[in-house]
Amino acid sequence: MPLIRIFLFFLFLGSSFLKAEPWHLAQFGKSQYVPLEDFCRFYHFSAPDYFPSQPIHLSNGINSLDFLPNTSFVFIDGVKHWLSFPIVERLGQIWISRIDLCCLFEPLLRPGMIPTGRLYRGVVIDPGHGGSDKGAVSRKGTEKNYALDTARRLAALLKARGIPVVMTRNEDVFVSLDERIRMASYYPDYIFVSIHYNQAYGGGRGLETYALSPRGSPSTNSRRLYLTDYSPSPGNRTDSLNILLAHDIHSQIIRLHPNDSDMDRGLKRARFKVLRENSLPSVLVEGGFLSNSIESSLVDHESYRQKLAEAIARGILTFFNQVNPQKKKALQKSFASDGSGL
């Protein structure tokens, strides 16, 4: 396998925000990889003791990474992320895919380096389903109603902090995916948060958050690459902001179950239309499984939906703090105790 040492100004898929550094590139299968040694040097992680097929922990005093080589997920600051391509052992070294380096690690490890080009100030909240489209169904209720209730609670929390909000639906009506995307396009300085509840054959369990799959990478739930995965999408223009927003929200919602790590199903990648065709930084949150008898009972309680809305709000505020440094002081005041539970 040829190994290339090269100085790249545009290593990260056309991004120019990294200074020229020596990176060693190798091709494994359909993906380019860089060695963990280069990764650690660039992000100031201490070089780990390497034992084949053993878990690895990295820390640079600010961030931590935990992973097992030859697997498809990594814990970043304790939050589970599904990788676009597995971290692999090859040629006596550990390698990280170039796409994950660009579209996962770089935005989360250096959020201040993300070029935003605008001041984000509001939120388009998208309650999933509605009207004739019930979504997931349990013995106690329907996804369309739970999603709308959670969205209304989230809207109230954000409005109380002076953050403008637009709802793609505020009643039990059907709104097409195209219409949701069209509505979002009228607010270029907003972010987009779609709220759903889950279902799966056999019950399912836990919380998931989705961001758009980077161009040239598979969706988490398929793990297969298709020709269409190489096509550019409007949503890929904000890849870095998408993953940062998803991370900030997911890191908050998993705190609803601090003593049950299995509830963290991870931050995943998908090409859902509301993510793929959306020009705003966008995420989709799955707040629990209605096909699971225990979780469906939990979701049916107003107190749980309120806590979920508060967790999403905290994630949104964290995101705004990171991408809008000039508004940091104002947003920090939002975290002051005001009786809302945030």
Side-chain angles (χ1 to χ4, degrees), residues 212-231:
L212 180 63
S213 302
R215 183 182 180 185
S217 68
S219 297
T220 302
N221 292 335
S222 73
R223 309 310 305 170
R224 292 183 59 187
L225 270 170
Y226 299 90
L227 282 177
T228 53
D229 295 339
Y230 292 95
S231 300

Side-chain angles (χ1 to χ4, degrees), residues 157 160-161 306 310 334 336-342:
L157 290 166
R161 284 152 182 79
Q306 179 66 25
E310 291 170 0
S334 300
S337 176
D338 60 2
S340 70
L342 269 179

Side-chain angles (χ1 to χ4, degrees), residues 104-284:
L104 174 61
F105 293 109
E106 169 64 16
L108 298 189
L109 297 179
R110 302 200 310 169
M113 299 296 290
I114 300 174
T116 60
R118 67 174 73 249
L119 182 71
Y120 289 100
R121 66 184 188 90
V123 184
V124 176
I125 304 176
D126 176 48
H129 307 280
S132 59
D133 179 8
K134 295 181 180 180
V137 177
S138 73
R139 293 181 179 180
K140 295 179 177 292
T142 62
E143 179 182 4
K144 66 172 185 175
N145 291 334
Y146 292 138
L148 179 58
D149 179 76
T150 307
R152 286 172 173 169
R153 294 172 186 274
L154 175 60
L157 290 166
L158 295 176
K159 289 177 181 177
R161 284 152 182 79
I163 297 176
V165 168
V166 170
M167 300 274 284
T168 59
R169 68 178 181 95
N170 206 9
E171 302 294 339
D172 182 17
V173 294
F174 175 79
V175 180
S176 70
L177 298 180
D178 287 331
E179 177 65 12
R180 295 168 196 255
I181 295 165
R182 187 188 66 80
M183 292 174 63
S185 70
Y186 292 136
Y187 302 91
D189 53 352
Y190 282 35
I191 62 174
F192 183 93
V193 179
S194 190
I195 298 175
H196 289 253
Y197 288 90
N198 225 332
Q199 66 179 351
Y201 179 77
R205 186 167 184 261
L207 302 170
E208 301 174 335
T209 304
Y210 285 88
L212 180 63
S213 302
R215 183 182 180 185
S217 68
S219 297
T220 302
N221 292 335
S222 73
R223 309 310 305 170
R224 292 183 59 187
L225 270 170
Y226 299 90
L227 282 177
T228 53
D229 295 339
Y230 292 95
S231 300
S233 300
N236 288 131
R237 297 170 192 159
T238 55
D239 272 340
S240 295
L241 293 170
N242 296 340
I243 195 63
L244 180 62
L245 175 60
H247 175 85
D248 288 340
I249 289 176
H250 194 72
S251 64
Q252 292 296 327
I253 66 173
I254 61 175
R255 294 182 183 182
L256 297 177
H257 306 276
N259 301 316
D260 190 350
S261 60
D262 290 339
M263 287 295 290
D264 181 6
R265 291 175 61 90
L267 201 161
K268 298 184 175 183
R269 302 290 196 156
R271 288 188 168 83
F272 302 139
K273 189 167 187 175
V274 293
L275 304 180
R276 185 182 71 247
E277 301 299 327
N278 205 325
S279 60
L280 308 186
S282 303
V283 300
L284 187 147

Side-chain angles (χ1 to χ4, degrees), residues 198-206 265 288-293 295-296:
N198 225 332
Q199 66 179 351
Y201 179 77
R205 186 167 184 261
R265 291 175 61 90
F289 279 80
L290 298 188
S291 51
N292 181 297
S293 59
E295 284 188 32
S296 64

Side-chain angles (χ1 to χ4, degrees), residues 72-73 111 131 172 236 239 275 299 302 307 336 341:
S72 296
F73 59 87
D172 182 17
N236 288 131
D239 272 340
L275 304 180
V299 170
E302 291 185 4
K307 289 178 181 178

